[in-house]
Amino acid sequence: MIKMHIFEDTIFALSSGRLPSGIAVIRISGSRTRFVVETICGSLTEPRLTKLSSFKSSDGDLIDRGLVVFFPAPHSFTGEDCAEFHLHGGKAVVDAMITALYGFDGCRMAEAGEFSRRAYANGKFDLTAAEGLADLIAAETDSQRRLALQISSGAQAQLYSGWRSELIRARALIEAELDFADESDVPGSVSDLVWEQMADLAGRITKHVGDGRRGAIVRDGYRVVIIGAPNAGKSSLLNILAGSDVAIVSDEPGTTRDLIEIKLDLSGITVLITDTAGIRNTTGAVEMMGIERALDRAHSADLILSVTDLSDPIPLDDVPLTKNVLRIGTKADLVTESEIGEYDLVISARTNAGVDALLRLLSQKAEAAAGDISDPLPTRRRHMELLNEASIELRAAIDDIAAPLEVRAEYLRRASYSLGRITGDVDVEDILDVVFSQFCIGK
């Protein structure tokens, strides 16, 4: 049975969107919730059923008429008594209700993520589900929504908890061999079987860590960088993909000196496209900084669009392009077909020729990089760091065959501890503020 945490304060906040709005939802949670509802509405409503009610301040003035719903503990989002007031979304109406709530002793405005933090403390979900909920709120594309739903539903926690259980069971078998080696019901070769199982587990964790880039692409976006010589048509390409003039286009070399980024939703995946400074030999300090940034961003990209002006081709022979590269010929309207060399695609920003084909190709590349997201994927740097820690400890336990069994069992304990920190099953107090501060107020 989960032990419920008792929080001294009752918290409240506007949980709906920006005002004014058609409807505003004010959420309240804590031990004073029943008294607040009874005072403002005149009576306590039947649990989990909405009721039309008049909302009144402490001096009896009518604030508004709307719906109220009460969720008694422990069957609520936070595990505490909770309630929601659904009222008209005018600023004055909401301000009046917030002022009324401030008038109750022990009631205060919630901090960012405090409702979710109380739900976590009361065992309503684990830490990965809380992070998935934050990602769901922030989701802008369909793939982000689907991945966040999967994580918030507990699929990720189930995977990591299962691995942790395997490690704990392996430790128990090894320690049983150490402590009861003379007992007939404890086979002496049990550790040999354990190490076979642990090798299999290590392989599964390694593969999962390898899928981390796919999770990052879905959550943070597929990164595309446009590079090329000055006046190659990079900024014109960015503008036509954006559908607006986000970058200055000029015949003067070196016009673009900093990174300019746009965000596209292609097949439900966020694609981040970055325009960069034209690459050339220059003595200008500012332009040189822009070129350095361009090359740095290209090295970290998922895909590079190497752009060349077909009417004046300047190759980037001295630029090491080791990443996935598409060679794009621009200004196709200025040359004849016989003058076009070997390119993956040719386009014209002036006539839009080839632009639709480029968007389809970017969409295919992004989809292929994200892959199938039906399986749980690691989505945060915190997850990756702890998974790598677990993998290192597990590999040490498997490979250090000369070490005493007690030492190898300790490696397994450390690995299970790292996995437990991902879900919050072991001490994570040092990261709770970081995790829940990412939530909006009212969630």
Side-chain angles (χ1 to χ4, degrees), residues 230-232 236 248-255 280 309 331 334 350:
N231 292 335
S236 295
I248 297 174
V249 177
S250 171
D251 292 335
E252 181 182 339
T255 301
R280 64 171 179 169
D309 179 355
K331 307 181 185 180
L334 299 181
R350 180 172 296 173

Side-chain angles (χ1 to χ4, degrees), residues 85-394:
F85 299 102
H86 297 225
L87 55 160
H88 293 96
K91 187 176 185 300
V93 176
V94 172
D95 285 347
M97 182 61 111
I98 294 294
T99 299
L101 292 173
Y102 268 121
F104 291 91
D105 291 338
C107 292
R108 62 169 174 82
M109 183 72 80
E111 298 175 359
E114 193 167 3
F115 288 94
S116 295
R117 183 163 182 166
R118 290 191 178 195
Y120 164 74
N122 285 327
K124 290 298 179 177
F125 46 61
D126 72 284
L127 203 53
T128 60
E131 291 168 323
L133 184 59
D135 289 343
L136 184 60
I137 294 170
E140 296 179 339
T141 66
D142 188 60
S143 59
Q144 290 173 341
R145 177 190 62 82
R146 289 187 286 119
L147 182 60
L149 274 174
Q150 181 192 79
I151 296 171
S152 62
S153 69
Q156 199 176 50
Q158 186 176 5
L159 178 67
Y160 298 153
S161 295
W163 288 347
R164 185 165 177 256
S165 295
E166 290 184 52
L167 286 165
I168 292 173
R169 181 176 181 274
R171 281 180 55 212
L173 290 172
I174 290 173
E175 289 169 3
E177 181 173 323
L178 288 169
D179 295 340
F180 307 105
D182 296 334
E183 300 292 333
S184 60
D185 58 346
V186 179
S189 61
V190 68
S191 61
D192 294 336
L193 178 60
V194 164
W195 300 126
E196 290 180 14
Q197 295 170 342
M198 291 300 95
D200 176 71
L201 176 58
R204 281 178 277 151
I205 294 177
T206 299
K207 181 181 181 302
H208 184 69
V209 170
D211 288 336
R213 181 60 203 143
R214 294 200 294 118
I217 286 173
V218 174
R219 184 173 184 269
D220 302 322
Y222 183 71
R223 299 169 301 181
V224 179
V225 173
I226 305 172
I227 68 169
N231 292 335
K234 301 183 301 300
S235 297
S236 295
L237 174 58
L238 185 77
N239 286 342
I240 200 168
L241 292 175
S244 62
D245 292 337
V246 295
I248 297 174
V249 177
S250 171
D251 292 335
E252 181 182 339
T255 301
T256 302
R257 296 190 175 187
D258 208 346
L259 305 175
I260 302 174
E261 185 174 85
I262 64 170
K263 182 186 296 185
L264 301 179
D265 181 350
L266 299 180
S267 299
I269 298 173
T270 296
V271 177
L272 305 171
I273 303 179
T274 305
D275 183 22
T276 63
I279 298 174
R280 64 171 179 169
N281 292 323
T282 180
T283 58
V286 176
E287 190 176 355
M288 286 178 63
M289 290 177 60
I291 293 172
E292 289 175 0
R293 290 185 181 183
L295 295 175
D296 287 343
R297 182 63 64 94
H299 286 309
S300 63
D302 297 304
L303 176 67
I304 294 173
L305 302 183
S306 180
V307 175
T308 302
D309 179 355
L310 295 172
S311 65
D312 184 21
I314 300 176
L316 300 178
D317 296 332
D318 56 344
V319 178
L321 301 179
T322 57
K323 289 276 186 177
N324 192 9
V325 179
L326 286 179
R327 297 182 66 243
I328 308 296
T330 63
K331 307 181 185 180
D333 55 300
L334 299 181
V335 297
T336 63
E337 188 171 342
S338 61
E339 295 176 287
I340 298 175
E342 293 186 3
Y343 294 91
D344 296 303
L345 202 64
V346 295
I347 66 170
S348 169
R350 180 172 296 173
T351 67
N352 281 353
V355 174
D356 288 342
L358 176 58
L359 285 170
R360 286 194 298 271
L361 194 53
L362 291 177
S363 179
Q364 292 167 5
K365 291 279 188 181
E367 283 188 286
D372 182 10
I373 60 172
S374 59
D375 295 327
L377 299 174
T379 56
R380 291 176 179 253
R381 180 177 297 178
R382 183 182 76 85
H383 301 171
M384 294 295 291
E385 289 174 351
L386 290 169
L387 284 166
N388 279 318
E389 286 180 14
S391 181
I392 290 170
E393 297 292 350
L394 180 54

Side-chain angles (χ1 to χ4, degrees), residues 73-91:
H75 306 296
S76 69
F77 175 73
T78 63
E80 305 174 309
D81 283 346
C82 285
E84 289 180 357
F85 299 102
H86 297 225
L87 55 160
H88 293 96
K91 187 176 185 300

Side-chain angles (χ1 to χ4, degrees), residues 383-416:
H383 301 171
M384 294 295 291
E385 289 174 351
L386 290 169
L387 284 166
N388 279 318
E389 286 180 14
S391 181
I392 290 170
E393 297 292 350
L394 180 54
R395 284 294 178 188
I398 296 168
D399 296 338
D400 195 0
I401 58 177
L405 279 180
E406 295 94 329
V407 173
R408 299 175 78 184
E410 174 62 14
Y411 288 137
L412 296 182
R413 185 195 68 78
R414 292 179 182 177
S416 66

